[in-house]
């Protein structure tokens, strides 16, 4: 496929280019805060893991080139999601705050089983590198929302965010009653895992109908569900 990257000069941009190029795909559009480099070919899919401020330009480019969008930007607000929903009326949009397979499996598990622990205490602790701008992380919010979706009795939920060192991303969900503790943990060893997920999502987008999809939708298709 031909692909474009918003935020190509950042750490995630380098990871995405490495994974996509290594799989035989071709970059035809590279953009960051300093400008844009574009070839004559149009991108089949545009990938954006940059800051929310890049969203409007990204949507303009998707509309201009009729490109699908894979977006892993965190810190998105309701108004950003509304813009993505509008874009998805005309092209596939795969949006997730985390493109790691393990996190998305954990999300599904929490949504399925959290109601069995309605009377347990539960909180999330997340750790990211000291340059991450949003707190709590989009992933922590994703996991919290999965718990609340599965457990209608739980109305409030605490997230504790740490910003230290160069940690790519650690998330721990704790459930506890007076006699036992049940912990679910996920550790991203490197940013490469997110780039691999973005590549899977881009492949999904090539054959998908217009619509707003999650990475869970991508995984379900890969599993034949």
């Amino acid at each position: 496929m031909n692909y474009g990257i918003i935020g190509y000069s950042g750490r995630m941009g380098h990871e995405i280019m490495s994974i996509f190029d290594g799989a035989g795909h071709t970059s035809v559009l590279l953009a960051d805060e300093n400008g844009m480099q574009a070839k004559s070919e149009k991108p089949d899919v545009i990938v954006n893991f940059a800051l929310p401020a890049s969203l409007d330009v990204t949507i303009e480019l998707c509309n201009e080139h009729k490109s699908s969008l894979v977006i892993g930007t965190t810190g998105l607000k309701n108004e950003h999601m509304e813009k993505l929903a509008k874009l998805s009326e005309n092209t596939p949009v795969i949006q997730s705050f985390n493109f790691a397979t393990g996190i998305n499996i954990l999300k599904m598990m929490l949504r399925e089983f959290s109601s069995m622990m309605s009377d347990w205490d539960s909180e999330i602790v997340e750790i990211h590198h000291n340059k991450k701008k949003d707190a709590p992380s989009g992933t922590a919010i994703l996991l919290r929302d999965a718990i609340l979706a599965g457990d209608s009795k739980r109305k409030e939920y605490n997230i504790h965010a740490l910003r230290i060192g160069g940690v790519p991303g650690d998330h721990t969900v704790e459930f506890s009653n007076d006699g036992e503790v049940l912990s679910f943990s996920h550790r991203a060893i490197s940013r490469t895992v997110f780039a691999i997920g973005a590549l899977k999502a881009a492949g999904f987008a090539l054959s998908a109908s217009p619509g707003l999809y999650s990475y869970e939708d991508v995984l379900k298709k890969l599993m034949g569900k």
Side-chain angles (χ1 to χ4, degrees), residues 59 62-63 69 82-91 93:
I59 290 174
C62 287
N63 284 325
L69 175 62
E82 290 171 0
K83 291 178 180 180
L84 290 175
K86 180 67 175 177
L87 175 64
S88 73
E89 295 175 2
N90 300 311
T91 193
V93 175

Side-chain angles (χ1 to χ4, degrees), residues 29 68 75 88 99 112 119 137 143 162 193 208 214-215 218-219:
L29 187 154
S68 302
S88 73
F99 280 84
E112 180 72 19
D119 57 344
S137 69
L143 296 176
L162 305 180
V193 67
S214 68
Y215 191 55
V218 176
L219 292 179

